[in-house]
């Protein structure tokens, strides 16, 4: 009984002023650029260049930054005249990703690797598995993919109104099906490492993907 009694006394004796402060809730716009290499049928290894535009809900304390973000737009640079795109309604259904940064007093960021992606479930509700990507090139049509990525923070720094840094991404994509015989023959799974950078800046509350476009 003595132990439990002492424990209760300690609880009541705590200074309510020492409670952890509530995190600040902010809205950030993000820009991510990733470069890698992917084996393309008939052309071999080719460089890939992808830019993602993001909108993030951020909960921030003096030592921690929690980000819950969604993709607003994906720009993929053409490879040998072949362009891959996603419809806006597909992009809006990509699952959100969560990132947790630990912030040192000097603003240096560290983080455990984080995962993101989607399965073979029809996330864009168009009647086909995974997410639909439209291909415009020698072989044109739609490819249906699932995606899994793991991101490792290489370096990062936070400021009063945002954060930036460098990262490495292991990206695995699986082809679940395709429209047209040509794409069915040439479209294949991919497993690549992409390296690049990210930059977030605080934006006014109420901002949307459309208002930031």
């Amino acid at each position: 009984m003595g132990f439990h009694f002492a424990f209760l006394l300690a609880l009541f004796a705590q200074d309510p002023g020492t409670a952890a402060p509530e995190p600040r809730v902010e809205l950030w716009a993000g820009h991510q650029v990733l470069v890698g290499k992917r084996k393309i049928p008939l052309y071999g290894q080719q460089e890939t260049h992808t830019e993602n535009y993001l909108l993030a809900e951020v909960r921030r304390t003096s030592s921690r930054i929690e980000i819950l973000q969604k993709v607003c737009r994906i720009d993929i640079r053409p490879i040998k005249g072949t362009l891959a795109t996603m419809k806006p309604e597909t992009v809006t259904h990509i699952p959100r990703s969560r990132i947790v940064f630990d912030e040192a007093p000097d603003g240096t960021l560290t983080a455990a690797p984080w995962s993101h992606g989607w399965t073979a479930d029809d996330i864009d509700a168009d009647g086909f598995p995974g997410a639909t990507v439209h291909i415009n090139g020698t072989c044109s049509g739609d490819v249906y993919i699932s995606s899994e990525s793991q991101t490792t923070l290489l370096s990062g720094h936070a400021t009063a109104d945002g954060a930036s840094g460098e990262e490495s991404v292991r990206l695995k994509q699986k082809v679940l099906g395709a429209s047209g015989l040509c794409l069915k023959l040439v479209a294949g799974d991919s497993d690549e490492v992409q390296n690049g950078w990210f930059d977030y800046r605080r934006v006014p509350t109420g901002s949307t993907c459309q208002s930031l476009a």
Side-chain angles (χ1 to χ4, degrees):
M1 289 292 293
F3 171 79
H4 293 290
F5 182 68
F7 176 70
L8 289 173
L9 283 178
L11 284 178
F12 284 114
Q14 286 181 352
D15 181 358
T18 62
E22 287 293 318
R24 303 195 308 273
V25 179
E26 303 175 349
L27 195 63
W28 289 4
H31 182 203
Q32 178 191 49
V33 177
L34 295 171
V35 176
K37 287 185 179 296
R38 179 176 298 182
K39 187 175 182 180
I40 305 297
L42 305 179
Y43 297 111
Q45 292 287 335
Q46 297 292 319
E47 185 174 283
T48 63
H49 182 106
T50 303
E51 299 193 32
N52 297 314
Y53 296 87
L54 312 159
L55 187 62
E57 298 174 5
V58 179
R59 299 174 65 85
R60 186 174 187 179
T61 67
S62 60
S63 61
R64 190 178 179 90
I65 301 174
E66 296 186 24
I67 294 176
L68 182 63
Q69 66 184 15
K70 62 181 178 181
V71 181
C72 292
R73 193 175 92 231
I74 302 174
D75 290 343
I76 303 173
R77 186 172 295 175
I79 300 175
K80 295 295 184 180
T82 297
L83 178 63
T85 58
M86 277 186 176
K87 292 180 179 179
E89 52 266 36
T90 298
V91 174
T92 60
H93 285 89
I94 293 176
R96 297 187 179 195
S97 58
R98 181 174 179 267
I99 308 168
V100 179
F101 292 125
D102 292 314
E103 181 182 355
D106 65 355
T108 299
L109 297 176
T110 57
W114 61 92
S115 299
H116 178 241
W118 61 88
T119 65
D121 293 338
D122 180 10
I123 67 167
D124 46 9
D126 64 356
F128 299 100
T132 297
V133 178
H134 183 70
I135 306 298
N136 187 2
T138 304
C139 286
S140 295
D142 293 329
V143 176
Y144 320 117
I145 65 169
S146 61
S147 180
E148 176 187 355
S149 68
Q150 184 176 64
T151 302
T152 300
L153 179 68
L154 301 178
S155 65
H157 190 269
T159 63
D161 62 354
S164 60
E166 297 181 349
E167 60 191 357
S168 178
V169 181
R170 174 78 179 274
L171 176 64
K172 298 180 182 179
Q173 292 186 331
K174 183 176 179 61
V175 174
L176 307 170
S179 66
L181 179 60
C182 182
L183 279 177
K184 288 179 180 178
L185 290 174
V186 303
D189 301 345
S190 63
D191 184 346
E192 64 180 296
V193 175
Q194 302 175 329
N195 292 297
W197 56 266
F198 63 87
D199 186 60
Y200 294 96
R201 288 292 178 269
R202 185 169 53 188
V203 293
T205 301
S207 298
T208 65
C209 289
Q210 291 74 23
S211 68
L212 294 171

